[in-house]
Amino acid sequence: MAEIDETHSWRRHVIDSNVNRDHGHSIGAADLTGDGGQNVLIAFGERGRRRSTDGVYWYESVNKDVRGEWLRYRLSEPSIPIRWCMALACADMDNDGDIDVVALSFNSGNVYLMVNPLHEGLNIKEPWPTLTILESPGVFRDGENLELVDIDGDNFLDVVFPRGKGKEIHVLYNPSGKLSEQWQDFVIGIHGGTDAHDVYTADIDNDNDPDIVSASGDSTWKGSVFWFEHPDDFSRDRSWKRRRISKRSANYGGLQIDDVNNDGWPDVLVTEAHATPGKVLWYENPKNVAKDYWDSHLIGFQTFPHAGLSFDVDGDGENEYWTPDSSHDTSGKFGYRSGGIVYFKSSDLSDIWAMHRIADPPEVGRQCVALDMDGDGDLDVLSTADHCTETHSISIVWWENRIRDEYKNRR
C-alpha cells in the first residue's frame, strides 16, 4: 500500500488543551451565535464517575481569530448533568431559525435537548434551557453518534440513535416543534451489537425517503452492518425492513455514506473499529433492495480505526476517507498508537487506496468533523486528541488544510 507524506501540508491548532479524561467522542461544530462564524462543542464527562462539570460546552474564537484564543461557555444547565456523553448533534429542532443541540448520555441512557435562546433575545453565553426528551433509567451504552433528520415527513427534525442495551435503533419523533411536549420513542429494529457505534441516514434505495444504516459490534467481534428500509409511507408506527450489508462479523465503526463509484447509488464505508490493525472497507450498493451481503472492497488498514470521515480533502471533486488511530493508551488494551492520522485516496477502485499521512504516531484522534474553519474555501478537520499519557486527558484540535496553498506555491 503506497504511503504519501503530507505532514507538511497540515497545521495543528489547539482550541483547548485540557477538556476531560475519557474518549472525547462528542465533538461538534455549528454557528450557535448566528454571526456566520464556527463555534465548537464538546461534552465533559468520564466513564463511571459523576462530576459537577458533566455536561455540554461550547467555544467561541476571540475576535474571530480561529488560530488564536478560544473562550469556553457552559451550554447545558448544571442542574441537569449529562453523564459521559459520547454523541451530540446540532440543528434547528423547532424551526425558529437558530441552532439547538441534542446529546446522548452513554452512562444513563437519557437523551437531552438544549434549546437555543437566541431568538428570544437572551444571553446565549449563559446555560441554555435543557430538556430531557427521553428518560431511560438503568439503560447504558447508548451510541457514539446520532442523526437529526425528518423521518416522518412533517418538516421537523427527529432524533435517530443506536442503543447498546437491547441492540436497538431508536427514532425519537419531534412533537411538531413544541419541544417541551412528549417525544414519541419508536424502535425501528435491532442492529446486533452491544457496542452501538454508529448510525447514518441516507436514501439507500433511491426512493426519496431516508433509510437508516447501522454499524456496531461487541467484545466477541459479532457485529454487523445493516440498513433499515423506510416504510412506503411516513406513518410513525410502520415496520422497517432490516437488510444485512456485511457478511463477515466484526466490531464495525467509522460509518460514512458516499457514492464511492459515482454510479448514482450511495455506498457504505466502515472500519473494523477495535482492530490493531483494522480493515477500512467500502460496501458497494447492489441497486437491489432485496439483496443481502453487499460486495466489499478493501481500502486499506489503520490501527484502531474507530472514527471515519468522507469528504473532499484536496478539492478535486472526489471524496477521500479520513481515519485517525483512535487508540486510548500505550498498553495495548485500546490499541498501540502506531497508526497516526491518515486519509485514503483512490485512483483506481480495483486497487487498495493510497494512504496519505497527516500526522505520525503517537498522534491519535477521535470523532472528527469536516468544515471550513478558516473561511479559505477548503475543508479543515475538527477533532479531539489526547496527551499520550495514561490519564486520558483530551484536547480539542483542528487541522488546517494547506494542500491548495502548497500546490499554488509549487506552480
Side-chain angles (χ1 to χ4, degrees):
M1 177 173 58
E3 179 173 323
I4 299 169
D5 182 9
E6 282 188 8
T7 55
H8 55 281
S9 299
W10 296 81
R11 183 172 295 166
R12 186 183 191 268
H13 302 275
V14 177
I15 293 173
D16 193 340
S17 61
N18 189 19
V19 177
N20 65 302
R21 289 169 47 83
D22 218 334
H23 281 46
H25 284 291
S26 55
I27 197 76
D31 178 10
L32 301 179
T33 63
D35 66 356
Q38 291 285 0
N39 303 117
V40 172
L41 301 96
I42 197 169
F44 282 31
E46 186 176 353
R47 181 197 298 261
R49 297 196 180 187
R50 295 171 176 263
R51 300 180 183 274
S52 61
T53 53
D54 288 351
V56 178
Y57 294 77
W58 68 281
Y59 295 79
E60 181 179 42
S61 59
V62 176
N63 298 322
K64 295 189 179 300
D65 179 9
V66 296
R67 298 177 182 86
E69 182 184 4
W70 292 70
L71 300 178
R72 182 175 71 201
Y73 305 95
R74 184 159 191 153
L75 191 144
S76 58
E77 292 184 72
S79 61
I80 305 178
I82 300 175
R83 306 293 186 195
W84 196 29
C85 167
M86 295 180 70
L88 58 79
C90 311
D92 184 359
M93 302 302 291
D94 51 4
N95 294 351
D96 67 351
D98 51 35
I99 299 298
D100 309 300
V101 180
V102 178
L104 305 180
S105 174
F106 189 86
N107 260 15
S108 74
N110 293 347
V111 182
Y112 300 93
L113 170 61
M114 287 135 277
V115 183
N116 193 327
L118 185 64
H119 71 285
E120 298 178 1
L122 301 178
N123 182 7
I124 69 168
K125 295 181 180 179
E126 296 293 330
W128 297 7
T130 303
L131 306 174
T132 304
I133 60 174
L134 179 66
E135 195 165 3
S136 305
V139 173
F140 297 92
R141 298 194 70 83
D142 271 355
E144 297 172 21
N145 87 309
L146 60 91
E147 291 274 277
L148 304 178
V149 63
D150 181 10
I151 294 293
D152 57 356
D154 66 351
N155 296 316
F156 288 95
L157 298 178
D158 308 303
V159 181
V160 180
F161 69 97
R163 173 155 282 177
K165 186 174 183 178
K167 305 176 184 180
E168 301 160 338
I169 303 290
H170 287 249
V171 176
L172 274 179
Y173 286 110
N174 191 323
S176 300
K178 301 172 183 178
L179 303 182
S180 61
E181 295 187 2
Q182 182 70 37
W183 290 63
Q184 181 184 349
D185 180 27
F186 184 73
V187 176
I188 69 156
I190 304 300
H191 60 72
T194 53
D195 281 343
H197 285 145
D198 297 325
V199 290
Y200 208 111
T201 54
D203 187 5
I204 295 297
D205 50 3
N206 282 348
D207 65 350
N208 299 312
D209 55 32
D211 307 303
I212 297 173
V213 182
S214 69
S216 63
D218 61 24
S219 59
T220 61
W221 286 72
K222 291 183 179 179
S224 301
V225 183
F226 293 104
W227 75 279
F228 299 81
E229 184 181 354
H230 194 288
D232 290 336
D233 63 28
F234 285 87
S235 300
R236 292 183 172 185
D237 58 353
R238 298 298 177 91
S239 297
W240 293 60
K241 294 179 181 178
R242 187 184 80 166
R243 306 187 188 281
R244 186 162 182 158
I245 292 174
S246 61
K247 187 173 184 179
R248 179 175 177 268
S249 293
N251 199 322
Y252 289 104
L255 176 63
Q256 295 284 280
I257 308 294
D258 192 15
D259 183 5
V260 175
N261 55 0
N262 295 316
D263 65 352
W265 292 78
D267 306 302
V268 173
L269 300 96
V270 291
T271 64
E272 294 178 344
H274 290 189
T276 53
K279 291 180 180 179
V280 181
L281 305 162
W282 72 277
Y283 286 91
E284 184 175 357
N285 192 319
K287 310 173 191 175
N288 176 359
V289 298
K291 178 179 172 57
D292 284 325
Y293 305 131
W294 296 10
D295 291 339
S296 66
H297 306 272
L298 180 64
I299 291 174
F301 295 88
Q302 169 63 305
T303 300
F304 207 76
H306 205 283
L309 187 62
S310 180
F311 71 104
D312 186 1
V313 175
D314 53 11
D316 67 351
E318 299 287 341
N319 285 353
E320 289 74 43
Y321 186 80
W322 171 293
T323 182
D325 178 346
S326 292
S327 303
H328 294 299
D329 57 38
T330 56
S331 68
K333 180 179 180 182
F334 294 110
Y336 292 92
R337 295 189 183 278
S338 60
I341 299 178
V342 302
Y343 71 86
F344 293 92
K345 183 178 180 64
S346 172
S347 58
D348 181 357
L349 293 177
S350 65
D351 197 4
I352 293 179
W353 298 17
M355 185 170 72
H356 295 241
R357 178 160 299 284
I358 307 306
D360 293 317
E363 183 75 50
V364 295
R366 306 288 187 265
Q367 194 178 70
C368 37
V369 179
L371 73 172
D372 186 2
M373 181 70 87
D374 51 4
D376 66 352
D378 55 24
L379 292 175
D380 311 296
V381 175
L382 172 70
S383 185
T384 51
D386 65 39
H387 296 166
C388 304
T389 68
E390 302 300 327
T391 64
H392 297 187
S393 186
I394 299 293
S395 294
I396 304 174
V397 302
W398 71 276
W399 293 91
E400 182 182 356
N401 187 341
R402 304 173 68 228
I403 293 175
R404 291 184 185 179
D405 293 339
E406 294 208 348
Y407 175 73
K408 290 176 183 177
N409 293 336
R410 290 197 299 266
R411 295 182 65 181

